[in-house]
Amino acid sequence: MSRKRNLPQCNRHKKHALSCSSRAELQFPMSSLDCVLPGGQYAQRLSSHTPVFLAGVLEHLMAHILELAAREARNSRKVRITPEHVQRALNNNETLSRLFQASSVSRGAEEGAEEPLPEAGQ
């Protein structure tokens, strides 16, 4: 007959697995960037810190853009940030307008939304 032993219970809690993004205290997914970077042929070799740095830069850039877009929305007495607010925020900021000079902000499924840009070869 087998009996269960009365062993003392450990009060240690199991450590939960943490993602790389949560360890770096970032919101952007570093694992996705880590998968995409080698396929881009940006360099022959990439450091393991590259996706961490890139995620941090992207997060900082997005926070800045959203802050400016929120100001634009507040100036037009709106509660929600729309693509038009983001576009105005990018156009009003000299540095960001130069950075996003060749890109466009999609208006989503709104009526009268702009057609997608044609491919480069067409």
Side-chain angles (χ1 to χ4, degrees):
M1 210 166 26
S2 66
R3 291 186 181 180
K4 290 183 181 178
R5 294 183 183 180
N6 291 331
L7 296 175
Q9 293 288 329
C10 292
N11 290 334
R12 295 184 207 158
H13 296 288
K14 288 185 179 180
K15 289 186 180 181
H16 295 287
L18 294 176
S19 68
C20 293
S21 296
S22 62
R23 270 187 263 145
E25 297 180 5
L26 296 172
Q27 298 300 315
F28 271 71
M30 287 177 17
S31 58
S32 298
L33 293 172
D34 198 20
C35 292
V36 171
L37 280 173
Q41 300 297 322
Y42 301 110
Q44 289 179 349
R45 295 166 51 188
L46 294 171
S47 168
S48 62
H49 300 291
T50 304
V52 179
F53 182 77
L54 183 59
V57 169
L58 289 174
E59 188 172 317
H60 178 74
L61 183 64
M62 286 305 302
H64 187 63
I65 291 171
L66 285 174
E67 183 182 334
L68 293 174
R71 285 184 195 160
E72 287 293 327
R74 198 176 315 116
N75 289 344
S76 59
R77 294 186 174 89
K78 301 290 181 184
V79 177
R80 293 190 181 112
I81 298 173
T82 63
E84 288 78 22
H85 296 135
V86 175
Q87 188 68 48
R88 272 191 264 148
L90 291 176
N91 290 337
N92 291 342
N93 189 308
E94 182 181 339
T95 308
L96 292 176
S97 65
R98 278 196 316 238
L99 181 64
F100 292 102
Q101 190 172 23
S103 66
S104 65
V105 175
S106 172
R107 290 176 44 190
E110 295 178 14
E111 286 187 33
E114 297 175 6
E115 292 294 319
L117 295 175
E119 295 294 323
Q122 297 177 355

